[in-house]
């Protein structure tokens, strides 16, 4: 694949990052994942704003340029012969001396990765996905809120646990907070419907402030579907009428089966994709 390194298109095999880049040394870097539709990056302004806010908090001097980013993405699509693609836009802190920094990072590195979109499994969207409760808790955020950072150890450990459950092939893993509140999936935010109200965990749980999460909340509110965020337990999911997951690549994914770590299964609602999930999916599409 051809990727972009500081604005220059380069073969991925030739792209290198210094061993003194603090993104490598200390995980000090941020990224955004999104996709294109008809070559247009979806919700790009929102993704760049979250990236910019995070860089400001970390002392990484970065100024977004939507037009430049759009142009680079178009060039990458063309260079890789893709109509649409999965995009990961990363800002690494850059090269500094070995040791923790005392000032701002003035020369961060920008990397735009691209790859084909995963094949869409229509069966999952029609019949629903499995959600596996994990023992691995969601760690607390690095700061006042969670960054979408290079430091992904918690998610990796969760993914490794998920692979231990033979019955959970193709499932998403769900992490709770240390206090036992529903947090988020390994690569998704979670919603549930009860009595025609749409619920999602509060940002106070330390979850990522998902761009797709916020967009889906706006969609629901425009349809006059009541929404509420708060602190919820696993039992709220097992007793829900509908459950669904969201992320920028998979969009809105219905959940129809829940599993505990011991292998006990619960059907969500009637065991089929619910009407509000379908409505929101159609609006999103």
């Amino acid at each position: 694949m051809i990727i972009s390194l500081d604005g220059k298109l380069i073969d991925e095999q030739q792209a290198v990052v210094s061993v003194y880049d603090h993104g490598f040394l200390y995980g000090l870097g941020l990224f955004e994942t999104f996709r294109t539709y008809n070559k247009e990056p979806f919700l790009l302004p929102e993704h760049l704003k979250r990236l910019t806010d995070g860089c400001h908090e970390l002392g990484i001097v970065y100024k977004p340029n939507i037009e430049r980013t759009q142009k680079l993405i178009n060039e990458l699509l063309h260079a890789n012969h893709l109509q649409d693609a999965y995009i990961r836009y990363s800002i690494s802190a850059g090269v500094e001396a070995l040791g923790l920094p005392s000032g701002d990072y003035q020369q961060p590195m920008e990397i735009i990765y691209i790859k084909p979109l995963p094949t869409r499994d229509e069966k999952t969207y029609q019949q629903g996905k499995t959600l596996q409760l994990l023992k691995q808790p969601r760690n607390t955020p690095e700061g006042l809120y969670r960054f979408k950072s290079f430091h992904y150890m918690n998610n990796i450990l969760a993914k490794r646990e998920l692979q231990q459950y033979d019955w959970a092939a193709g499932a998403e893993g769900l992490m709770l907070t240390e206090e036992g509140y529903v947090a988020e999936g390994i690569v998704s935010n979670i919603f549930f419907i009860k009595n025609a109200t749409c619920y999602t965990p509060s940002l106070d749980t330390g979850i990522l402030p998902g761009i797709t999460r916020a967009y889906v909340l706006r969609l629901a509110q425009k349809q006059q579907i009541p929404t509420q965020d708060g602190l919820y337990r696993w039992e709220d999911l097992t007793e829900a009428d509908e459950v669904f997951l969201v992320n920028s690549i998979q969009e809105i994914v219905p959940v129809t089966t829940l599993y505990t770590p011991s292998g006990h299964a619960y059907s969500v609602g009637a065991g089929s994709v619910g009407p509000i999930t379908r409505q929101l999916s159609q609006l999103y599409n």
Side-chain angles (χ1 to χ4, degrees):
M1 301 298 291
I2 304 298
I3 68 171
S4 174
L5 191 66
D6 283 337
K8 296 179 181 179
L9 269 57
I10 184 172
D11 187 278
E12 62 183 1
Q13 299 299 322
Q14 304 301 316
V16 295
V17 176
S18 169
V19 294
Y20 289 101
D21 190 301
H22 279 206
F24 169 74
L25 284 174
Y26 304 114
L28 202 59
L30 302 171
F31 71 97
E32 293 291 325
T33 301
F34 49 89
R35 60 157 295 171
T36 63
Y37 294 91
N38 298 319
K39 298 185 177 181
E40 291 289 331
F42 189 51
L43 300 176
L44 182 60
E46 289 89 339
H47 281 287
L48 291 185
K49 182 181 186 306
R50 181 171 67 178
L51 185 64
T52 304
D53 291 346
C55 284
H56 177 75
E57 290 289 326
L58 296 176
I60 299 173
V61 178
Y62 164 76
K63 292 183 179 179
N65 185 318
I66 291 177
E67 291 75 18
R68 174 181 173 278
T69 303
Q70 173 75 72
K71 181 174 181 292
L72 283 172
I73 290 171
N74 285 339
E75 291 175 356
L76 285 170
L77 288 168
H78 178 74
N80 289 288
H81 310 290
L82 295 170
Q83 174 67 29
D84 283 307
Y86 171 117
I87 307 292
R88 171 172 159 151
Y89 185 98
S90 300
I91 299 293
S92 189
V95 174
E96 288 290 347
L98 190 63
L100 299 182
S102 57
D104 289 346
Y105 292 94
Q106 299 293 334
Q107 293 183 305
M109 177 171 282
E110 175 202 66
I111 310 166
I112 306 179
Y113 303 89
I114 185 171
K115 68 177 183 179
L117 288 164
T119 302
R120 184 179 174 93
D121 182 5
E122 291 298 338
K123 182 179 178 181
T124 297
Y125 292 88
Q126 294 300 319
Q127 299 182 14
K129 193 177 184 75
T130 296
L131 184 64
Q132 172 68 53
L133 177 63
L134 301 176
K135 299 175 184 176
Q136 175 69 42
R138 193 57 166 127
N139 62 354
T140 55
E142 301 89 339
L144 295 177
Y145 60 93
R146 186 173 299 279
F147 298 116
K148 196 171 179 69
S149 74
F150 289 5
H151 180 53
Y152 236 53
M153 188 70 71
N154 191 220
N155 302 66
I156 292 169
L157 290 173
K159 183 72 171 180
R160 289 181 63 81
E161 180 188 341
L162 178 62
Q163 293 168 346
Q164 299 173 12
Y165 301 116
D166 295 337
W167 54 80
E172 167 67 315
L174 173 68
M175 291 178 282
L176 307 181
T177 67
E178 287 281 5
E179 298 78 21
Y181 296 116
V182 173
E184 57 191 338
I186 299 172
V187 294
S188 62
N189 287 123
I190 187 166
F191 288 78
F192 67 93
I193 308 294
K194 184 69 176 179
N195 297 328
T197 295
C198 184
Y199 297 90
T200 194
S202 167
L203 297 181
D204 291 339
T205 59
I207 62 173
L208 184 74
I211 301 299
T212 306
R213 172 186 178 275
Y215 185 74
V216 169
L217 282 171
R218 294 197 300 271
L219 274 183
Q221 290 158 5
K222 286 181 180 178
Q223 296 302 305
Q224 299 184 331
I225 298 170
T227 62
Q228 185 172 322
D229 66 346
L231 302 177
Y232 307 112
R233 299 284 185 176
W234 169 249
E235 290 73 23
D236 291 307
L237 298 184
T238 63
E239 297 170 4
D241 301 321
E242 305 176 41
V243 176
F244 62 89
L245 308 169
V246 305
N247 73 23
S248 296
I249 306 301
Q250 298 176 33
E251 304 161 339
I252 296 176
V253 182
V255 171
T256 50
T257 307
L258 306 170
Y259 272 104
T260 67
S262 65
H264 184 78
Y266 297 86
S267 288
V268 177
S272 58
V273 181
I276 293 179
T277 303
R278 288 193 184 279
Q279 179 186 3
L280 291 173
S281 295
Q282 290 167 1
L283 290 168
Y284 190 99
N285 291 334

